[in-house]
Amino acid sequence: MVEVVSISMSNEIAVVTIDNPPVNAMAQDVRAGLKRAFVELRTRNDIKAIVIGGKGRTFVAGADIKEFDSGIAPPGYHEVLGLIEDSACPVVAAVHGTALGGGMEIALASHYRVAHEAARFGLPELTLGIIPGAGGTQRLPRLIPLEAAVELMLSSKPMPAAKARELGLVDAMVTGDIIEGGIAFARELVARGAGPRRTRDLAVRGAENAAVLLAAKRVQVAKTMRNRQSPLGLLDALQAAVTLPFAQGLKAESAISEKLVPATEARALRHLFFAEREVRKIPGLSADVKPRPVTRVGIIGAGTMGGGISMCYANAGVPVTIVDATQAALDRGMATIRKNYERSVARGSLKQEQLEHRMQLVTPTLDYAALGNADLVIEAVFENMALKKDIFAKLDAVLRKGAVIGTNTSTLDIDEIAAVTTRPEDVVGLHFFSPANVMQLLEIVQAKRTAPDVLVTALETAKQIKKIGVVAKVCYGFIGNRMMDPYAREAEHCLLEGATPEQVDGALERFGMAMGILAVFDLAGVDIGYLTRLERKHLLPDDPTFYRPDTMLNERGWLGQKTGRGFYRYDSARKRIPDPEVVEMLWKEGKRLGVERRQPGEKEIQERCLYAMINEGARLLDEGIALRASDIDVVYTSGYGFPRYRGGPMFYADTVGLKTICERILEFRRTLDARYWEPAPLLEKLALAGSSFAAWSAGRGD
Ligand code: CAA
């Protein structure tokens, strides 16, 4: 059996190596191995210094996140890190890859740190709803200035080795082999006669300004991280670092940490951590199915979506050919891409040379024949079946055998589009979200005949362009937009009942949605939903109140931000301003249509919108459109602004309790329009059984 922690010798230097693939997570056996190693090393007098390093692609990526639910088995983090810090001979952490969370805390408890130039250091615990619980909040501000420490932890963004060196965290940089570099540094220490340099003995850097700094951060966090506990817990722990002796500070950190780990916020964020990785695993798909390589991409349509998707590939270093019907459309598209990149240069997130390089990767053309050697072509023109069919027929004629053909449709039947080609097995839905170069989500739609390796290619290309790909089956709206439909229906109906747009959006935003749905419609264009509803008129309920506010705004040309008014008015800075005219118009219309003026309160608005969405999610699971409840959660948190700290709609439903939700839906069936409030069979079944979506998913073995 391979030892997860081993000791080797390089003359009088001991090298402790952690080997726990894939990311050297600090699981119980790693902690036990480190304990054994440091207990053994302290008894040996042939050793002058110790180097700690990680085998494989990284140092240590942190605690084993799986362990948080079951409880931390001994030895605990403090015991192990205490042994490292207590060592009588100097300990050097030799960091390559990432030192994150508990990994960073090993480095902080070591006496010296050397880093590979590509290494990164971070304490991303807030992304998991917890705080660094192995001394990170107490040791880091003793090594780097408090302000920088607060920033690193609040942002959760790892910093590059060069920055860590500048701040005083890293003692030396290594260009070649990291372990050799660590040994060389340790030899120098021995030669200099340098002993241990324990972080706990240092004073907090910048403690004199701590009160002002931490108070300002509390105000900031209350605004930008609303409804969350862990950022406040972090600031409390830092306060303890400044005001208490080290040992007591550690105790305060532990007490805060112990409260946060089992709380809903942390459970929700852990759920998403694994859910976002689970999406790549498709039940029933053999591991032998390999993706087709994607080294050259074609995009049809140089509009907003096509341009954004082209940028995704150019950013990943993949050459892109964009085809459009007119030179003017191509010129406009290329100019927009350049403008977007220029904005990044102005912000400092991109260098001018990178801009030029990315622009060179994008080739505009009017000629479909230029796609002859593309591995993947993505059609991104507007939603029109006839147009898409025409394009797919053209692509079928020019693409090489084996090329994957994606369609960015958000509503149309992909089976029908695929049927115009001689190779429907190569066709897959690739539904991007606007702006495509920014939004994380990619809905991958598996049509009836999509080949397994095409599905795997779609998942792989999502990773290639740093997106989270979630697989759905074909239905109107797939996962995201289908659930959005009842959610927004309720939001709009509330307006006819006497709620104002600010009350509806406010209720949703205070729940945690990034933006209220009415403001989203104003941003995207109120006409978008209206036009798709016109096309599907024959399928919609015979209900004059259904999306009536949307229709009225369209009839008046009040299409949202682009026309200066929609559900709200907008000033020149696009700030939303309440519009009493719209409010009155909708109240009157409600009255005309015989809608009861019930003026729903905050809680009712939230329940109606969210429970309608969750109910639809249960139907998607029953119909097999979504593979897992957790996939729906990933779609909503990465593409629709659902608060991550609530875990996504289905996780949230489990925290409320399916029985409670089902009962409320039945009550709405009695008090509101009954046709919209039929509980989904799966929801009803689970509610009756006292079960949850999580238990149901687990029971299916997914
Ligand atoms: N615990 C358990 N499993 C982990 C893990 C962790 N800390 N980090 C990664 N994994 C698993 C993933 O689930 C994945 O498993 P599957 O292949 O079975 O899906 C596998 O390792 C590979 O991970 P990625 O697909 O994410 O690989 P990547 O190369 O894209 O990214 C990474 C690597 C940057 C390290 C990324 O995995 C990551 O950010 N991990 C989490 C880091 C983190 O948050 N650490 C802090 C933990 S909390 C803590 O440490 C508290 C404390 O104070 C002690």
Side-chain angles (χ1 to χ4, degrees):
M1 203 181 86
V2 183
E3 284 286 335
V4 290
V5 177
S6 58
I7 303 176
S8 58
M9 295 301 298
S10 175
N11 299 327
E12 75 281 22
I13 312 289
V15 179
V16 175
T17 304
I18 300 167
D19 181 11
N20 184 27
V23 295
N24 290 331
M26 214 174 154
Q28 189 277 340
D29 50 354
V30 171
R31 294 195 302 277
L34 283 171
K35 178 178 171 180
R36 256 194 320 275
F38 277 85
V39 167
E40 179 191 325
L41 291 174
R42 93 181 151 188
T43 62
R44 291 191 24 191
N45 47 19
D46 56 330
I47 285 167
K48 296 273 173 24
I50 303 169
V51 173
I52 310 180
K55 192 156 180 183
R57 67 195 217 208
T58 189
F59 185 68
V60 173
D64 181 352
I65 298 168
K66 289 190 280 296
E67 221 187 349
F68 287 125
D69 284 320
S70 55
I72 307 293
Y77 288 90
H78 288 316
E79 183 183 352
V80 176
L81 299 194
L83 278 167
I84 295 174
E85 198 166 41
D86 284 344
S87 167
C89 60
V91 181
V92 180
V95 175
H96 75 299
T98 42
L100 299 177
M104 167 85 149
E105 287 166 310
I106 294 181
L108 298 176
S110 300
H111 304 146
Y112 300 88
R113 286 147 294 275
V114 298
H116 188 268
E117 47 195 5
R120 287 178 309 142
F121 292 81
L123 289 169
E125 278 82 350
L126 288 194
T127 61
L128 294 167
I130 56 174
I131 61 166
T137 63
Q138 307 301 302
R139 288 193 180 93
L140 186 62
R142 288 177 155 82
L143 286 168
I144 69 173
L146 179 66
E147 189 162 2
V150 175
E151 204 41 52
L152 186 85
M153 290 186 251
L154 273 184
S155 74
S156 292
K157 282 204 192 100
M159 64 177 157
K163 177 84 182 159
R165 172 93 175 103
E166 198 184 300
L167 288 171
L169 179 67
V170 165
D171 298 287
M173 303 288 276
V174 173
T175 40
D177 182 89
I178 184 66
I179 299 298
E180 288 308 320
I183 293 171
F185 184 83
R187 287 223 167 87
E188 270 175 44
L189 290 176
V190 174
R192 277 198 276 130
R197 190 189 55 185
R198 298 190 178 94
T199 309
R200 66 181 182 221
D201 297 336
L202 305 172
V204 169
R205 290 178 63 185
E208 58 289 357
N209 300 322
V212 175
L213 174 71
L214 295 178
K217 291 294 172 190
R218 271 179 210 284
V219 174
Q220 178 195 324
V221 155
K223 263 201 226 137
T224 57
M225 297 172 130
R226 212 175 32 195
N227 297 344
R228 295 195 51 187
Q229 293 171 280
S230 54
L232 295 170
L234 175 70
L235 295 174
D236 289 343
L238 286 161
Q239 179 91 28
V242 176
T243 50
L244 299 175
F246 180 79
Q248 282 179 39
L250 266 194
K251 281 201 183 117
E253 180 194 83
S254 295
I256 297 164
S257 185
E258 277 160 25
K259 268 203 206 128
L260 291 172
V261 168
T264 306
E265 176 184 327
R267 286 197 300 115
L269 291 164
R270 283 201 288 281
H271 161 73
L272 286 176
F273 178 85
F274 291 112
E276 284 168 357
R277 285 151 180 87
E278 190 78 8
V279 290
R280 296 182 222 143
K281 296 167 194 159
I282 308 302
L285 203 66
S286 151
D288 301 339
V289 181
K290 296 284 174 260
R292 301 181 190 175
V294 173
T295 57
R296 266 183 299 264
V297 169
I299 305 287
I300 311 295
T304 312
M305 281 320 275
I309 301 169
S310 303
M311 288 175 74
C312 295
Y313 282 97
N315 296 349
V318 178
V320 184
T321 304
I322 311 187
V323 181
D324 209 316
T326 66
Q327 190 58 44
L330 285 175
D331 292 345
R332 255 197 320 273
M334 292 300 286
T336 306
I337 295 177
R338 180 171 278 277
K339 208 159 69 208
N340 287 339
Y341 279 138
E342 277 168 355
R343 222 173 282 147
S344 305
V345 172
R347 267 203 314 267
S349 57
L350 194 74
K351 295 200 180 85
Q352 185 66 32
E353 314 83 85
Q354 288 174 304
L355 175 154
E356 298 305 339
H357 176 66
R358 289 181 196 185
M359 287 307 295
Q360 273 163 22
L361 285 171
V362 184
T363 311
T365 175
L366 296 168
D367 186 6
Y368 273 73
L371 301 174
N373 62 2
D375 303 312
L376 164 69
V377 175
I378 303 172
E379 164 276 308
V381 300
F382 62 88
E383 289 288 82
N384 179 296
M385 183 55 99
L387 175 64
K388 296 208 186 228
K389 281 183 172 171
D390 180 51
I391 289 170
F392 269 67
K394 280 188 187 140
L395 289 174
D396 194 31
V398 299
L399 296 191
R400 67 166 178 75
K401 193 169 168 286
V404 173
I405 323 176
T407 168
N408 180 45
T409 181
S410 54
T411 52
L412 299 175
D413 182 344
I414 298 172
D415 294 312
E416 196 181 329
I417 301 174
V420 304
T421 69
T422 55
R423 38 176 137 183
E425 64 283 0
D426 292 339
V427 176
V428 65
L430 295 175
H431 180 208
F432 288 80
F433 290 74
S434 190
N437 52 313
V438 176
M439 296 295 287
Q440 259 196 313
L441 177 64
L442 176 64
E443 251 181 336
I444 296 173
V445 189
Q446 182 183 13
K448 278 202 191 79
R449 300 193 47 194
T450 305
D453 66 336
V454 169
L455 189 63
V456 173
T457 308
L459 284 161
E460 197 56 33
T461 201
K463 210 172 166 200
Q464 181 178 30
I465 55 174
K466 299 200 166 60
K467 302 228 177 282
I468 304 180
V470 182
V471 173
K473 298 275 172 50
V474 175
C475 74
Y476 177 78
F478 315 129
I479 297 175
N481 286 346
R482 189 163 138 188
M483 286 171 68
M484 185 52 70
D485 225 47
Y487 168 78
R489 178 198 70 220
E490 286 307 305
E492 293 210 7
H493 205 278
C494 288
L495 301 177
L496 299 176
E497 294 166 27
T500 65
E502 308 86 271
Q503 283 166 341
V504 172
D505 280 347
L508 298 174
E509 285 165 8
R510 281 186 287 277
F511 170 80
M513 298 301 291
M515 211 184 208
I517 188 64
L518 306 172
V520 170
F521 286 164
D522 272 359
L523 178 69
V526 183
D527 48 334
I528 291 186
Y530 174 73
L531 293 174
T532 46
R533 270 189 292 281
L534 273 189
E535 282 212 8
R536 307 180 65 237
K537 214 166 174 191
H538 56 295
L539 297 169
L540 301 180
D542 177 20
D543 171 7
T545 70
F546 186 74
Y547 278 95
R548 182 67 189 142
D550 208 287
T551 306
M552 292 184 83
L553 294 179
N554 270 280
E555 285 165 356
R556 284 158 185 74
W558 299 346
L559 305 183
Q561 292 197 13
K562 62 184 168 189
T563 58
R565 67 185 299 189
F567 287 98
Y568 302 90
R569 279 179 184 270
Y570 292 87
D571 64 12
S572 55
R574 300 207 160 192
K575 187 174 171 301
R576 66 178 148 168
I577 302 164
D579 186 345
E581 197 182 337
V582 165
V583 170
E584 201 188 323
M585 173 183 89
L586 297 177
W587 289 0
K588 278 196 183 143
E589 184 67 358
K591 197 167 168 205
R592 189 184 75 80
L593 294 171
V595 173
E596 187 193 343
R597 195 176 156 88
R598 45 189 290 134
Q599 287 185 292
E602 173 122 344
K603 185 155 184 269
E604 180 178 321
I605 294 169
Q606 290 171 345
E607 286 176 337
R608 282 169 61 178
C609 294
L610 294 160
Y611 295 177
M613 171 197 275
I614 290 162
N615 202 33
E616 200 63 31
R619 288 207 179 91
L620 290 176
L621 292 172
D622 237 355
E623 292 168 22
I625 301 290
L627 292 171
R628 291 166 281 246
S630 59
D631 283 10
I632 296 178
D633 291 334
V634 174
V635 165
Y636 262 81
T637 48
S638 61
Y640 288 81
F642 196 97
R644 290 182 66 80
Y645 58 84
R646 294 201 195 271
M650 308 319 268
F651 182 91
Y652 172 68
D654 281 350
T655 63
V656 174
L658 300 190
K659 185 163 169 285
T660 306
I661 293 181
C662 198
E663 280 168 1
R664 196 76 174 118
I665 287 177
L666 291 170
E667 198 181 321
F668 289 144
R669 191 168 68 177
R670 283 193 300 278
T671 54
L672 301 169
D673 192 336
R675 81 190 106 172
Y676 301 125
W677 291 103
E678 206 48 59
L682 178 65
L683 176 69
E684 203 164 21
K685 187 176 92 184
L686 295 176
L688 270 176
S691 187
S692 63
F693 290 123
W696 178 77
S697 291
R700 293 193 318 164
D702 294 345

